[in-house]
């Protein structure tokens, strides 16, 4: 308890940084993932191919490698950003690939009859996707997307490797001072667990509210 009370300010700041990363990267990855899904199911071969390559690249490249590349290689190309925004952007483009796969699986749950009905009503492709396909897909994949968000929350810890002072980084700094790894890292682990539980409960609540009765 002495360790927590003595370092309460830095610990709360680090938790705030972690939560900020989770929220911003979560929102960004969902929006980008939906766009990628639309590209993957579009009738335009170039868009489908680009979206497929995007997903395959990011689900097969380690997040840590992407973080290191963004922080240490991009400045050499003249692209310089603060560490925290850089880490958030990398998390967005990385997790968006997993969101896209989850949403694409939801597209398969939309009855073909409904898609044919949109054509009979004179809707174009964009209207069909925006009004029928994507909304129903999202309603059917709330829990899978929630699982992606939980993974995102855990992945924020990797930002410590590139210098972002979030929860795991702060826990390591405190441990270097007090040399009590069991207490310090157990506490940090409990915070991550609490974040995961909150996301899981929120996803379950949303899923119940938007469930499609067939």
């Amino acid at each position: 308890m002495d360790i927590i009370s003595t370092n309460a300010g830095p610990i709360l700041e680090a938790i705030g940084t972690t939560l900020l990363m989770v929220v911003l990267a979560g929102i960004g990855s969902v929006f980008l993932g939906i766009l990628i899904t639309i590209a993957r199911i579009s009738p335009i071969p170039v868009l489908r191919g680009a979206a497929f390559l995007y997903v395959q690249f990011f689900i097969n490249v380690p997040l840590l490698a992407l973080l290191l590349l963004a922080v240490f290689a991009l400045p050499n190309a003249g692209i310089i950003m603060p560490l925290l925004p850089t880490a958030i952007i990398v998390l967005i483009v990385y997790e968006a690939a997993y969101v896209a796969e989850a949403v694409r699986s939801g597209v398969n749950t939309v009855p073909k009859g409904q898609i044919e009905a949109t054509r009979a009503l004179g809707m174009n492709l964009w209207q069909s996707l925006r009004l029928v396909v994507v909304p129903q897909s999202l309603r059917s994949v709330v829990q899978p997307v929630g699982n992606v968000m939980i993974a995102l929350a855990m992945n924020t810890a990797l930002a410590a490797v590139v210098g972002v002072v979030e929860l795991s980084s702060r826990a390591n700094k405190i441990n270097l001072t007090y040399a009590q790894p069991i207490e310090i890292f157990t506490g940090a682990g409990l915070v991550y667990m609490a974040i995961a539980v909150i996301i899981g409960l929120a996803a379950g609540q949303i899923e119940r509210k938007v469930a499609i009765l067939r």
Side-chain angles (χ1 to χ4, degrees):
M1 292 301 295
D2 290 339
I3 297 176
I4 296 176
S5 59
T6 303
N7 298 276
I11 290 173
L12 290 175
E13 182 179 356
I15 293 174
T17 299
T18 294
L19 292 175
L20 179 66
M21 294 172 68
V22 171
V23 172
L24 294 182
I27 294 173
S29 62
V30 168
F31 277 107
L32 181 57
I34 293 172
L35 292 177
I36 295 168
T37 300
I38 292 174
R40 289 203 68 178
I41 63 177
S42 74
I44 304 174
V46 174
L47 283 180
R48 290 202 309 270
F52 174 78
L53 291 175
Y54 180 99
V55 171
Q56 292 303 311
F57 176 81
F58 284 105
I59 66 176
N60 288 293
V61 175
L63 175 59
L64 181 57
L66 295 173
L67 285 167
L68 292 171
L69 182 65
V71 171
F72 297 109
L74 289 182
N76 291 333
I79 303 175
I80 301 175
M81 293 187 297
L83 289 176
L84 181 57
T86 300
I88 291 174
I89 291 173
V90 172
L91 284 168
I92 288 173
V93 298
Y94 179 80
E95 299 295 344
Y98 292 90
V99 172
E101 285 293 274
V103 176
R104 190 169 69 91
S105 69
V107 171
N108 296 327
T109 68
V110 180
K112 293 183 179 180
Q114 293 193 19
I115 299 175
E116 293 173 357
T118 62
R119 295 173 182 169
L121 291 172
M123 292 186 184
N124 57 35
L125 175 64
W126 170 245
Q127 290 173 322
S128 176
L129 290 173
R130 180 170 60 89
L131 299 175
V132 178
V133 178
V134 171
Q136 289 197 58
S137 300
L138 292 176
R139 291 172 68 181
S140 64
V141 296
V142 172
Q143 199 60 59
V145 171
N147 292 338
V148 174
M149 295 300 102
I150 291 174
L152 185 156
M154 303 302 106
N155 285 337
T156 58
L158 291 176
V161 177
V162 294
V164 177
V165 184
E166 42 68 70
L167 179 57
S168 60
S169 174
R170 178 57 63 188
N172 187 53
K173 291 178 184 294
I174 294 173
N175 181 60
L176 292 176
T177 300
Y178 294 92
Q180 296 187 29
I182 296 178
E183 294 86 348
I184 293 170
F185 289 109
T186 297
L190 290 174
V191 174
Y192 282 113
M193 184 180 72
I195 294 173
V197 169
I198 291 171
I199 294 174
L201 291 175
Q205 186 69 17
I206 294 172
E207 185 179 41
R208 286 190 290 273
K209 287 185 176 181
V210 302
I212 301 174
L213 299 178
R214 301 194 186 279

